[in-house]
Amino acid sequence: MEKKKPLPTIGVDHYTFFEVDTDTAEGTVYKTPYHLKGTVEIVPTDSGGADTFDADNGVYEVSAYIEKMGHDITSADIPPEVDALWRGLERKNGLVEVSNDIKTVYFGVAWRILKSDGTYRYVRYYKGSYSFASNVGGKTKPSSGSIDKQTAKATYTAVQRDYDNNYYAYFDESDLPEGVTKETLEENWFTNMNWYPTAPAGE
């Protein structure tokens, strides 16, 4: 198999999240997708290492592990509607009231990363929750000169999906199976968290 030349990534967009309705051994059901516009940056939070078990006066076994699965997202803003959804709150006449009564709500999320050749890498996390600071800060507008634009940040912490114990998945557009078009990919990746790029039967 011919090795592909690694390409740098140059952009990110289409950040879409889906509230998890149910997650059981029979399957995971998601609610209607929500497209969050204004994505500036997504940085994975994954970290890992190795745990060494000593026996017989030496290294007996080494176990590799990954922790802190998820990502930090920087966005132009986190609108009140999204703030309420992520915190598990009900808005009252458009008002977001924050108290100690905040529920942990789980979401699946998908986005795409633009590569330098114009193709995309598609990413999705199956289940996780958001944490973020209050989104009510501000800075005075300067009397002259360029305005310093501010952004909003949040952290998505992934957990294993009960259905299949998976955390996340990704693939490059160039690896699409025969018979699966980019149009089909775009239509399903951001609307159905359970869709897989599978070639049609008989192909």
Side-chain angles (χ1 to χ4, degrees):
M1 182 177 179
E2 183 182 353
K3 293 183 178 179
K4 299 174 183 176
K5 176 182 176 182
L7 298 171
T9 57
I10 59 174
V12 61
D13 67 355
H14 272 54
Y15 192 88
T16 306
F17 61 88
F18 310 66
E19 184 176 343
V20 175
D21 191 14
T22 58
D23 180 25
T24 66
E26 287 70 44
T28 307
V29 178
Y30 297 90
K31 295 184 180 180
T32 304
Y34 186 110
H35 175 53
L36 178 64
K37 295 181 179 180
T39 303
V40 176
E41 184 180 26
I42 296 175
V43 179
T45 57
D46 303 13
S47 64
D51 183 58
T52 302
F53 175 74
D54 292 319
D56 295 334
N57 294 323
V59 176
Y60 189 78
E61 182 178 85
V62 177
S63 301
Y65 62 88
I66 302 175
E67 60 185 2
K68 298 180 181 177
M69 290 277 199
H71 58 272
D72 291 331
I73 176 173
T74 301
S75 181
D77 187 27
I78 298 175
E81 178 181 349
V82 175
D83 189 324
L85 286 171
W86 286 358
R87 296 181 193 271
L89 300 173
E90 292 288 338
R91 288 200 299 165
K92 301 174 184 177
N93 298 321
L95 185 69
V96 178
E97 289 186 312
V98 180
S99 67
N100 288 329
D101 186 24
I102 297 177
K103 300 178 293 182
T104 299
V105 184
Y106 291 106
F107 299 88
V109 63
W111 68 87
R112 65 181 189 177
I113 303 167
L114 179 62
K115 303 179 79 173
S116 61
D117 66 346
T119 62
Y120 287 94
R121 172 168 293 165
Y122 292 81
V123 184
R124 67 181 176 197
Y125 281 73
Y126 293 110
K127 184 178 179 181
S129 61
Y130 289 93
S131 60
F132 52 102
S134 175
N135 190 31
V136 295
K139 185 176 181 180
T140 189
K141 183 178 178 180
S143 58
S144 62
S146 176
I147 297 174
D148 183 16
K149 298 179 177 64
Q150 298 180 80
T151 56
K153 297 184 178 183
T155 296
Y156 177 93
T157 302
V159 298
Q160 285 182 300
R161 189 163 64 170
D162 293 342
Y163 168 51
D164 53 13
N165 294 324
N166 286 330
Y167 284 101
Y168 69 94
Y170 73 92
F171 80 103
D172 286 348
E173 176 189 330
S174 57
D175 293 328
L176 274 176
E178 289 287 337
V180 180
T181 65
K182 182 177 180 180
E183 290 72 25
T184 300
L185 168 64
E186 290 281 341
E187 178 183 348
N188 289 279
W189 193 260
F190 302 106
T191 59
N192 183 358
M193 282 291 294
N194 293 309
W195 179 81
Y196 280 82
T198 305
E203 295 193 19

